[in-house]
Amino acid sequence: MTRIAHAVRGDGGGIDGRIPGDQDGREVRIQTYYAKNDAGKPWTHVLRARDPDLAERIAVNMTTLAENENIGYSQKRRMTWFNSAKSQGGNIAKAAGDCDCSSGVSGGTQLAGGKVKANLATSNMLQGFQSSGQFEILTDAKYLTSADFLLRGDILLRQGHTAVIIDNGAEAARQDDPDDETLPDGKTFRLLVDDYYVADGIEYGVKEWCRVRKGPTLDDDILGKAYRGEIYEAYGFSEDWYQINYHGRVGYIYKTFVSEGEI
């Protein structure tokens, strides 16, 4: 499943939230990807960071923005969240205020190291991101009609709205390493990526994300990241590592970071 993070609407249902912050957890949120909105309007552009590390930071920032209940939606107060984050040294988790869809994405991109203005609107985002030289502009139908070829950190854009992809699409994950081994057959069970916990002053588990590797050792290359609360199919357990289906590919995740069972 591919998800997006975006700012959607105010607490009154319109463009100007009545109370600062996210009153119902839905003003700025994470949800399943869609190709068209309720009015049938499709995305027109995908803005893809040329640097994968920048793309990852953009995805992390938008996830943090969506999960921070002190940040809500208001076009009138659209830059208050960004000014608050700047006053906290760029720490979005400690920020408060309101954003709209475009100030969330452009501000989050600037805080991630993007050379773009923080106060862009959907009407000038394309030009602003393109002029930075840090982004490819994708308009092929395969990027606009499904999530299959989208990458974590990609920015979706159309007139009036913008959002950020926070999971790799199925085909994009496979094409990243087409020679990767096929998924095994047989019975599977489910794993939940756990919240972290503290015991005897030591933190265990997942605070936000953990690494998924191509093999069951710390010396194996990193395949990607698994985020807290995600669920994966697992095929077996060996040497303290679970073998999982990671977006259509074989991956390995360390035992501390997950729990088994019916989820």
Side-chain angles (χ1 to χ4, degrees):
M1 177 181 69
T2 303
R3 299 168 298 164
I4 59 175
H6 58 158
V8 182
R9 48 95 176 135
D11 51 274
I15 62 174
D16 293 315
R18 297 169 296 191
I19 306 171
D22 197 336
Q23 305 307 308
D24 58 8
R26 303 285 293 167
E27 295 182 44
V28 187
R29 65 185 188 239
I30 294 171
Q31 68 177 81
T32 304
Y33 166 89
Y34 58 85
K36 296 181 179 180
N37 68 0
D38 292 341
K41 294 182 179 179
W43 304 109
T44 57
H45 300 83
V46 171
L47 317 179
R48 175 170 291 174
R50 300 180 188 277
D51 179 359
D53 289 337
L54 174 58
E56 175 62 23
R57 293 192 296 271
I58 291 170
V60 169
N61 282 357
M62 282 301 297
T63 301
T64 305
L65 186 73
E67 292 178 343
N68 183 345
E69 294 183 357
N70 292 316
I71 299 176
Y73 185 104
S74 172
Q75 286 192 4
K76 288 182 178 179
R77 300 185 298 271
R78 65 192 297 264
M79 296 307 299
T80 54
W81 83 273
F82 180 80
N83 295 332
S84 176
K86 290 283 283 187
S87 72
Q88 298 288 341
N91 190 333
I92 298 173
K94 293 184 178 180
D98 287 316
C99 66
D100 64 0
C101 65
S102 53
S103 70
V105 172
S106 59
T109 298
Q110 186 185 110
L111 292 175
K115 299 174 183 178
V116 300
K117 293 181 179 180
N119 62 347
L120 294 174
T122 58
S123 59
N124 61 5
M125 273 185 65
L126 178 60
Q127 180 183 1
F129 276 73
Q130 194 168 26
S131 65
S132 75
Q134 295 176 296
F135 293 85
E136 298 178 74
I137 310 302
L138 308 176
T139 56
D140 288 353
K142 69 178 184 179
Y143 299 114
L144 305 177
T145 57
S146 82
D148 285 349
F149 292 93
L150 298 178
L151 300 176
R152 177 172 162 81
D154 281 352
I155 297 169
L156 304 170
L157 177 64
R158 64 170 169 80
Q159 185 69 34
H161 199 54
T162 183
V164 171
I165 294 289
I166 61 172
D167 304 293
N168 284 333
E171 293 299 325
R174 292 190 189 100
Q175 287 192 352
D176 185 51
D177 189 0
D179 296 324
D180 197 29
E181 62 183 298
T182 57
L183 294 171
D185 296 324
K187 186 177 180 180
T188 63
F189 53 96
R190 305 182 83 188
L191 293 178
L192 171 68
V193 183
D194 289 322
D195 291 346
Y196 80 102
Y197 60 94
V198 178
D200 298 326
I202 301 174
E203 295 181 348
Y204 297 90
V206 180
K207 295 180 183 178
E208 294 182 5
W209 54 265
C210 62
R211 293 181 176 90
V212 179
R213 295 185 179 271
K214 294 184 177 181
T217 73
L218 292 174
D219 293 326
D220 285 291
D221 290 338
I222 297 169
L223 184 59
K225 295 180 178 181
Y227 288 79
R228 187 181 66 208
E230 291 182 338
I231 297 171
Y232 292 93
E233 285 186 321
Y235 300 94
F237 179 78
S238 176
E239 299 293 331
D240 295 334
W241 295 77
Y242 287 96
Q243 185 186 58
I244 67 170
N245 177 345
Y246 183 71
H247 304 302
R249 303 166 63 186
V250 174
Y252 292 83
I253 191 168
Y254 192 64
K255 65 178 182 180
T256 304
F257 303 138
V258 290
S259 61
E260 294 184 36
E262 294 296 327
I263 307 300

